[in-house]
């Protein structure tokens, strides 16, 4: 029988937020990597140091090696602590994670910045499962994503969910609905919301489409050129392409080796001034909060490729977006956002969206693992820290509210 896990045998670690911040600020992580590697070679490294090493190696660009280190550590230790800023924590949060790359679990320690919350992370590993006795905690949250690699962990948590001793947020049966094709079916008929049908297509189907043997409608009724394609399971824009015609699809397949893809109709959401505007919102306890606004002359926007730091005009517009968010953007889309939140059902998730030419909320993606952080320079983005602290405060208040409710029900 597996040994019970208790709060007494967690392993301390530096954690995702602190190491990512150092990398973001240009700190050279190689000396720390070398130091931790030496401790592992000597046999003196603690489990938390092994997990930190895994993250450092991934941050330095070697995802495969970093994951191998992580999986090795998780075979003998699954519970880790990221200490709070307060030496006497006011609340203990248990995060339930999966053995996946650094982008596959909610980077929750960013959201706890400056709080008195102690974070315990329990990795739910296939073949090990959940401990017989859970570590003491006030509230728990599932941080594993909807990725295929997390399905075993989510299933184990779901099996235990009805017997969970404390409030359990972001239930696993709801997280799986965030997969791109499932999300479309969940939100397709929400008034004021536009979400293109995202459907699975095999390589064989797309090859037949490229050669003219089948039409777009054979894959999905609303599919047509131009379309968006991406490999199934890909993230951060890997393999994402706009395909204008069959020839473009044929050229795309020639350079992609994957067998399964997601395809969707392309929505041209360009603004009258010729620029594209893409928004990231955090949905916390059913309420939307502005995370960022990216402005660029290209449809495939990420905040980094919008180069917001280099444009005072763009930053001024983002500042107004954040300042006026509650009575402008959020008010315009109040009904759609409220209905989306109810249908998704998660306590915390992220929405990447825009506005289409009809003024509707155009939803690209919803997930529970996007990074919401306060790392941007306050000198360049002076309007951001107050907004991020607002999100963090809403998140920690949500945790506290559920913890208090759990105490009441336990009594």
């Amino acid at each position: 029988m597996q040994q019970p896990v208790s709060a007494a045998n967690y392993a301390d670690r530096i954690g995702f937020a602190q190491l990512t911040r150092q990398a973001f600020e240009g700190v050279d992580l190689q000396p720390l990597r070398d130091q931790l590697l030496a401790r592992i070679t000597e046999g003196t490294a603690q489990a938390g140091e092994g997990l930190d090493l895994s993250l450092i190696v991934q941050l330095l660009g070697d995802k495969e090696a970093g994951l191998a280190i992580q999986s090795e550590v998780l075979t003998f230790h699954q519970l880790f602590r990221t200490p709070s800023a307060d030496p006497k924590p006011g609340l203990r949060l248990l995060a339930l994670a999966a053995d996946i790359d650094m982008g596959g679990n909610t980077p929750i320690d960013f959201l706890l910045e400056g709080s008195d919350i102690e974070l315990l992370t329990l990795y739910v590993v296939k073949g090990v499962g959940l401990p017989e006795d859970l570590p003491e905690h006030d509230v728990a949250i599932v941080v594993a994503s909807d990725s295929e690699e997390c399905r075993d962990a989510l299933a184990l948590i779901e099996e235990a969910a009805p017997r969970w001793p404390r409030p359990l947020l972001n239930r696993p049966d709801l997280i799986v609905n965030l997969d791109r094709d499932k999300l479309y079916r969940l939100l397709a008929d929400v008034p004021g919301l536009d979400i293109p049908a995202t459907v699975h297509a095999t390589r064989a189907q797309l090859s037949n489409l490229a050669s003219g043997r089948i039409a777009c409608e054979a894959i999905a009724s609303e599919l047509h050129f131009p379309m968006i394609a991406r490999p199934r399971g890909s993230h951060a824009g890997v393999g994402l392409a706009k395909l204008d015609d069959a020839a473009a699809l044929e050229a795309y397949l020639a350079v992609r080796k994957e067998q399964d893809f997601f395809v969707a109709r392309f929505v041209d959401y360009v603004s009258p001034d010729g620029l594209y505007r893409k928004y990231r919102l955090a949905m916390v306890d059913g309420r939307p909060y502005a995370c960022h606004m990216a402005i660029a002359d290209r449809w495939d926007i990420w905040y980094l490729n919008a180069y917001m730091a280099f444009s005072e005009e763009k930053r001024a517009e983002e500042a107004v977006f954040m300042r006026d968010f509650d009575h402008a953007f959020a008010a315009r889309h109040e009904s759609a956002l409220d209905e989306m939140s109810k249908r998704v059902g998660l306590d915390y998730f992220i929405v990447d969206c825009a506005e289409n030419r009809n003024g509707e909320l155009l939803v690209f993606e919803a997930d529970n693992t996007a990074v919401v952080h306060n790392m941007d320079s306050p000198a360049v983005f002076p309007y951001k820290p107050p907004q991020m602290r607002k999100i963090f405060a809403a998140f920690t208040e949500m945790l506290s509210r559920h913890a208090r409710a759990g105490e009441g029900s336990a009594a």
Side-chain angles (χ1 to χ4, degrees), residues 91-117:
L91 187 146
R92 293 160 300 179
L93 173 64
L94 179 64
L96 302 168
D99 181 9
I100 191 172
D101 65 79
M102 64 181 187
N105 293 303
T106 309
I108 203 166
D109 36 347
F110 276 118
L111 300 168
L112 304 178
E113 183 179 284
S115 75
D116 66 346
I117 296 176

Side-chain angles (χ1 to χ4, degrees), residues 49-306:
E49 293 176 314
L51 209 61
D52 285 333
L53 176 62
S54 161
L55 179 56
I56 290 167
V57 171
Q58 291 181 69
L59 287 168
L60 290 173
D62 195 341
K63 176 180 171 179
E64 188 175 342
L67 281 175
I69 295 167
Q70 176 173 284
S71 295
E72 175 67 23
V73 171
L74 295 180
T75 59
F76 64 87
H77 203 99
Q78 293 87 42
L79 183 64
F80 301 86
R81 181 181 76 141
T82 307
S84 79
D86 192 318
K88 293 184 177 179
L91 187 146
R92 293 160 300 179
L93 173 64
L94 179 64
L96 302 168
D99 181 9
I100 191 172
D101 65 79
M102 64 181 187
N105 293 303
T106 309
I108 203 166
D109 36 347
F110 276 118
L111 300 168
L112 304 178
E113 183 179 284
S115 75
D116 66 346
I117 296 176
E118 181 176 82
L119 173 63
L120 291 174
T121 301
L122 178 63
Y123 283 84
V124 183
V125 182
K126 188 177 182 180
V128 178
L130 288 160
E132 190 173 297
D133 296 318
L134 292 166
E136 291 185 9
H137 60 283
D138 300 300
V139 62
I141 186 168
V142 182
V143 297
S145 70
D146 66 306
S147 301
E148 287 290 340
E149 301 96 314
C150 296
R151 293 301 161 87
D152 289 329
L154 291 174
L156 287 165
I157 300 165
E158 179 60 27
E159 185 181 346
R163 305 181 301 280
W164 208 268
R166 305 295 295 165
L168 178 63
L169 309 187
N170 274 19
R171 301 285 285 249
D173 59 321
L174 300 175
I175 288 174
V176 297
N177 289 332
L178 297 177
D179 204 11
R180 293 181 190 276
D181 53 348
K182 295 186 180 73
L183 185 69
Y184 160 73
R185 292 195 292 271
L186 191 66
L187 303 179
D189 60 348
V190 174
L193 186 150
D194 181 13
I195 180 168
T198 300
V199 296
H200 169 234
T202 65
R203 186 178 192 87
Q205 284 178 303
L206 294 182
S207 294
N208 286 336
L209 177 59
S211 63
R213 289 192 290 271
I214 64 171
C216 292
E217 293 78 11
I219 298 174
S221 59
E222 72 162 53
L223 190 65
H224 56 73
F225 288 111
M227 67 175 64
I228 299 297
R230 72 179 79 220
R232 186 167 189 169
S234 66
H235 297 282
V238 174
L240 176 67
K242 173 175 172 277
L243 307 172
D244 291 324
D245 50 33
L249 175 57
E250 185 175 22
Y252 176 76
L253 292 173
V255 297
R256 304 303 314 179
K257 304 306 177 189
E258 295 88 355
Q259 297 300 309
D260 293 277
F261 299 84
F262 278 134
V263 291
R265 62 179 167 86
F266 173 71
V267 178
D268 191 1
Y269 62 101
V270 67
S271 300
D273 63 358
L275 297 176
Y276 292 85
R277 288 162 173 83
K278 188 175 180 182
Y279 310 95
R280 173 164 289 178
L281 314 180
M283 302 297 295
V284 185
D285 224 7
R287 181 179 171 184
Y289 294 84
C291 296
H292 69 225
M293 173 190 193
I295 307 168
D297 58 0
R298 52 190 292 174
W299 65 268
D300 52 341
I301 312 175
W302 289 269
Y303 200 77
L304 290 178
N305 72 17

Side-chain angles (χ1 to χ4, degrees), residues 22-44:
Q22 290 181 35
F24 186 82
E25 293 175 349
V27 174
D28 183 4
L29 294 175
Q30 295 198 45
L32 180 55
R33 179 199 63 182
D34 295 343
Q35 178 187 335
L36 294 176
L37 277 172
R39 288 176 62 80
I40 287 176
T41 302
E42 296 162 1
T44 59

Side-chain angles (χ1 to χ4, degrees), residues 281 288-289 321 324-337:
L281 314 180
Y289 294 84
F321 165 68
D324 297 344
F325 179 78
D326 289 340
H327 61 264
F329 189 96
R332 286 198 302 277
H333 304 293
E334 181 179 6
S335 177
L337 287 167

